[in-house]
Amino acid sequence: LTSKQLARKKGRKPALRQAVPRGPARCEIAVHARQGTFSLLAPHGVPILAKAWVEVELADGDVLTTLQGGLAADAGFWASPLANGRIVIEVTFERVTEPPAVIVAARVRNRGTEPLAVRAIRVARAVMGPAPAAWGAPEAWRMLKLGYTFGAAHREDADGRNSGLVSFDRPSVTSRSFGMTALRLGAHGPGLILGFVAGERQVAWIDVRKEGREIELAPCCDTEGTSIPPGEALAAERLYAGLHADPFAGLAAYAALCARAAKVELKPVPRGWCSWYAYFAEATAEDVTRNAETCAALRAELPLPVVQIDAGWSRAMGDWLEPGARFPGGIEPVAARIKALGLTPGIWVAPFAVE
């Protein structure tokens, strides 16, 4: 039975479906116009995101959602009029077949007479649906979290700086992943990938919260109080949502999609050792040399041809020609030792960062 037939059989009004091109996509969107929500459905109508809506946070702290205005079909998009029609949230859904997924796009239109300042747009705040038995309990799920370092290089993670895998084995879990996230639904289950296709206009992240067995996702674009002139609109970054039987293949396909959108060519990632992930910004010349010698000794079983000296080597951010106290002899002797070991020295700089 189709979802419409199931809805009629159960005596409910069927959800409106966004007209999208047919293809081998595994997910589809069901729009619930009166409720102002939409659902992301897996094959056989399994709800991945059972209830999702768009949320706009204004600079004055007010929060407006499609739950308040409903969703009405318009010319190529769904519209949610709010604040007596002065603000309209516009939502579009695009099905892509390579990789099979759905892309959600949202924008805020100012139909008032005064500028409208917007702090954030949450493109698809959502509650996940009940998991099929094959996926196992949410306590067995794992989340890929992207911060701006990997592992536990820095002991404190209050601002979400550490990347890694987040377990859902506790009753209450909160986490933030920048740009994208992937959820492994069970030890052998599929992978749900949520990620922004680009970062052209805003910094974006995905907040994840687990309470008991309920999991809530909030993909957010930080619009930083951007002012929208009357009659104009502000678009958030587009959000990719896909379910992949092989999460690793799904991540590769998502990366290829982002590369096509940015018109860049993905190149093989160079392998090597980087001081940031072990010492954060506190590596010394001795630390780098010792680890380079270890890389050389283990090259047959663990080839790491590049040794990168990361942040902390300079006197200060912006003084890129003056080494700091951790490198009293300068960079040259450390780089020479790395070369002598048959490895390639690398160095990190941030030309626009100044203390």
Side-chain angles (χ1 to χ4, degrees), residues 63-322:
V63 176
L64 305 175
T65 78
T66 56
L67 296 170
Q68 301 163 331
L71 287 166
D74 208 313
F77 58 88
W78 296 87
S80 182
L82 300 158
N84 296 318
R86 291 182 289 109
I87 302 172
V88 179
I89 298 175
E90 299 173 353
V91 190
T92 60
F93 305 103
E94 175 190 356
R95 177 180 290 168
V96 293
T97 57
E98 187 55 44
V102 171
I103 292 178
V104 183
R107 58 182 177 263
V108 182
R109 188 169 300 279
N110 181 7
R111 294 195 180 278
T113 58
E114 299 292 331
L116 177 69
V118 177
R119 181 180 297 166
I121 302 174
R122 296 178 182 90
V123 179
R125 186 156 202 159
V127 176
M128 293 193 68
W135 295 358
E139 287 75 12
W141 297 4
R142 298 291 182 270
M143 167 192 166
L144 173 64
K145 170 193 169 187
L146 298 186
Y148 54 87
T149 184
F150 199 87
H154 200 278
R155 291 182 293 275
E156 300 297 328
D157 194 30
D159 60 353
R161 70 183 67 189
N162 289 339
S163 297
L165 292 177
V166 177
S167 172
F168 287 172
D169 56 357
R170 303 188 307 276
S172 180
V173 178
T174 59
S175 189
R176 171 173 291 182
S177 184
F178 287 90
M180 62 81 61
T181 188
L183 273 66
R184 182 67 181 262
L185 308 179
H188 305 288
L192 171 64
I193 297 175
L194 288 178
F196 291 93
V197 177
E200 298 175 352
R201 294 174 291 270
Q202 301 109 19
V203 172
W205 59 77
I206 300 171
D207 287 325
V208 179
R209 182 178 65 88
K210 173 183 177 284
E211 289 293 340
R213 291 205 165 188
E214 182 175 280
I215 297 176
E216 182 179 295
L217 309 170
C220 179
C221 292
D222 185 2
T223 53
E224 303 182 86
T226 299
S227 181
I228 309 174
E232 296 190 17
L234 173 65
E237 301 294 346
R238 297 187 301 152
L239 179 70
Y240 169 99
L243 186 71
H244 300 269
D246 181 347
F248 297 100
L251 286 169
Y254 164 70
L257 175 72
C258 294
R260 291 196 298 272
K263 298 181 180 179
V264 299
E265 178 185 354
L266 293 180
K267 297 180 180 179
V269 178
R271 291 184 296 178
W273 178 87
C274 176
S275 63
W276 178 268
Y277 303 115
Y279 299 97
F280 204 54
E282 299 174 357
T284 65
E286 292 77 9
D287 293 330
V288 173
T289 301
R290 186 174 63 255
N291 280 276
E293 291 169 349
T294 302
C295 289
L298 297 176
R299 77 179 80 211
E301 53 191 297
L302 185 64
L304 297 172
V306 176
V307 174
Q308 178 170 308
I309 306 169
D310 215 285
W313 65 267
S314 62
R315 188 170 70 92
M317 288 285 189
D319 290 338
W320 303 117
L321 300 180
E322 299 182 39

Side-chain angles (χ1 to χ4, degrees), residues 23-39:
R26 300 177 183 179
C27 298
E28 60 180 294
I29 289 286
V31 176
H32 313 281
R34 290 183 181 177
Q35 292 84 1
T37 65
F38 53 92
S39 302

